[in-house]
Amino acid sequence: AKLQAQKQEYKNLGHGGYDTITNEKEFFEISKKSDRVVCLFYIDTSFRCKIVDKHLTQLCEKHFETRFLRLNAEKSPFLTERLKIKVMPTILITKDSVVCDRIVGFEQLGNSDNFPTSLLEWRIAQSKVINYSGDLTRPPVEDVKEKKTMVQIQRNLRQEEFSSDSELDD
């Protein structure tokens, strides 16, 4: 019964869903209430942000213990700047209201648009904010297939830079 109560409490806090928040204030309030938060900073024009969206939509249902959010970086320039977020998408992970990890772009996800949800789940699990039963020392896939070529998970390619001077200053 204790687990059931815990789950209900999480549900009341909005866990199990993937909500769009609109400002810094909401972000800080949620970080205070939920001890584990995974927040995607996105911009509408980025295709890669939509890819992350798709994966997080699946993970939020599976990981009730963690609060999943998305925040439009262009609508929260103060927070984006303060957290030094320069590449979209960036997944920011907080534990007990403290930023403990960030996943910037797809560099740690095989640098491919085709990475599986399990790889993102494994990467988020590295920061101990989701309950993970797999092996944390080894990614669930050795490499991500990019059309016909293989891309090593470890390889670093240049990220798409997020230019702050044009988009954010309306």
Side-chain angles (χ1 to χ4, degrees):
K2 193 176 169 214
L3 271 174
Q4 206 53 46
Q6 177 74 72
K7 192 164 184 179
Q8 190 53 51
E9 190 186 320
Y10 279 146
K11 221 183 190 128
N12 297 344
L13 287 171
H15 289 232
Y18 179 44
D19 295 315
T20 302
I21 56 173
T22 51
N23 58 48
E24 290 89 9
K25 193 165 165 279
E26 274 184 281
F27 177 80
F28 291 121
E29 277 169 10
I30 289 168
S31 305
K32 280 194 193 89
K33 287 190 194 121
S34 297
D35 52 354
R36 304 191 260 190
V37 177
V38 172
C39 183
L40 168 68
F41 282 74
Y42 73 97
I43 48 174
D44 284 328
T45 51
S46 163
F47 175 66
R48 285 194 147 183
C49 290
K50 292 179 177 66
I51 294 173
V52 177
D53 262 345
K54 188 187 71 180
H55 294 300
L56 291 181
T57 302
Q58 291 174 2
L59 290 176
C60 71
E61 293 168 10
K62 185 175 173 186
H63 293 285
F64 249 89
E65 68 278 8
T66 306
R67 184 84 148 87
F68 286 83
L69 306 168
R70 59 203 296 273
L71 179 67
N72 186 326
E74 292 174 313
K75 293 202 171 103
S76 303
F78 167 75
L79 188 62
T80 304
E81 180 78 8
R82 183 171 151 185
L83 296 169
K84 299 182 173 55
I85 291 171
K86 293 185 171 53
V87 176
M88 298 295 145
T90 288
I91 299 172
L92 197 78
I93 301 173
T94 68
K95 200 168 183 177
D96 303 320
S97 302
V98 178
V99 174
C100 65
D101 197 0
R102 56 181 73 206
I103 304 168
V104 179
F106 287 4
E107 209 167 276
Q108 300 164 346
L109 301 166
N111 253 315
S112 161
D113 289 356
N114 305 327
F115 65 88
T117 305
S118 62
L119 182 59
L120 180 59
E121 179 182 32
W122 173 81
R123 177 57 192 84
I124 292 171
Q126 299 292 314
S127 46
K128 312 270 192 291
V129 290
I130 55 175
N131 302 336
Y132 187 74
S133 51
D135 181 352
L136 279 175
T137 61
R138 297 214 331 270
V141 287
E142 285 307 312
D143 34 42
V144 178
K145 289 177 183 59
E146 181 70 271
K147 298 183 181 75
K148 292 196 176 74
T149 60
M150 299 295 251
V151 184
Q152 282 297 304
I153 302 271
Q154 297 307 328
R155 233 173 80 207
N156 292 344
L157 296 175
R158 201 172 57 78
Q159 292 291 327
E160 42 182 304
E161 272 298 315
F162 179 63
S163 74
S164 56
D165 32 68
S166 53
E167 290 104 329
L168 290 180
D169 306 328
D170 290 349

